[in-house]
Amino acid sequence: MSAIIAPSVLSADFGNLQRDIEMINNSQAGWFHVDIMDGVFVPNMSFGFPVMKVLKEQATKPLDVHLMIVDPDRYIQRFAEHGAHVLTVHYEACTHLHRTLAEIRKQGMKAGVALNPHTPAALLQDIIADCDLVLVMSVNPGFGGQKFIENTYQKISDVKNLILQKNSQAVIEVDGGVAMDNAARLAACGADVLVAGNTVFSAANPSAMITDLRNSIETVNVSV
Ligand code: DX5
Ligand code: ZN
């Protein structure tokens, strides 16, 4: 499989959600990236189950759900029922991360862990074998359209090395400020999935931008 572009629904036009979902369905995007914010873990709120219901009904590609919420254990089952394919929780939001990831898998989803920009890859040492995906935040979570943090390249390499060292099957996703000027380097560092919100939805032709991002990336193997 080729590298995956995951457009972030957060940047879609919610007055024309069906149109934007169709655009992604008909594009070269691999996944829908779905940002859930609770106004507590991050200083912003996004959307919840009513939008998940629409996505489950209309999206023809996997739903990659990024939970920016405290105590995510409360909602694992409901996201499974709403069609999440990947469910990613924040390292910083989980007291019993091993239990949380096991529950996500038990509910039939792939289990992801997200790292805030200040959280080192090394903290995943004892959990990486139980992760299907590591989401490296390249901005502080909470908003679309922020400036990319340069340390991300090193962080991706650190996660990649840990995956190899521990014989983990996890894929690496990068989220925040992804654009044409950094996509290829991110993939070269080891990113398998690139989230793009503002870059896609502010483009004159969002579908063509998805194609351009995809073409700028070397082919890599992803099996989530
Ligand atoms: C930020 C979200 C991102 C966001 C990315 O908290 O997790 O998924 O939508 O948006 P861009 O690509 O605009 O930085
Ligand atoms: Zn996200």
Side-chain angles (χ1 to χ4, degrees), residues 81-149:
E81 289 164 1
H82 280 78
H85 176 75
V86 181
L87 193 65
T88 295
V89 297
H90 266 263
Y91 177 90
E92 303 83 7
C94 296
T95 309
H96 304 288
L97 184 57
H98 183 274
R99 179 187 292 154
T100 302
L101 297 182
E103 185 59 26
I104 291 171
R105 284 176 159 180
K106 192 172 154 203
Q107 297 286 338
M109 298 173 284
K110 300 290 183 184
V113 176
L115 299 179
N116 273 340
H118 71 275
T119 305
L123 287 175
L124 295 180
Q125 188 169 303
D126 291 340
I127 196 71
I128 193 75
D130 300 295
C131 299
D132 297 306
L133 178 147
V134 176
L135 191 165
V136 177
M137 285 306 306
S138 39
V139 298
N140 287 294
F143 304 91
Q146 300 184 81
K147 189 176 180 306
F148 179 84
I149 295 172

Side-chain angles (χ1 to χ4, degrees), residues 92 115-122 134-138 150-161 172 189:
E92 303 83 7
L115 299 179
N116 273 340
H118 71 275
T119 305
V134 176
L135 191 165
V136 177
M137 285 306 306
S138 39
E150 293 289 319
N151 184 56
T152 304
Y153 300 115
Q154 182 61 50
K155 178 85 72 79
I156 292 170
S157 299
D158 292 347
V159 173
K160 186 78 190 174
N161 287 337
I172 300 175
C189 287

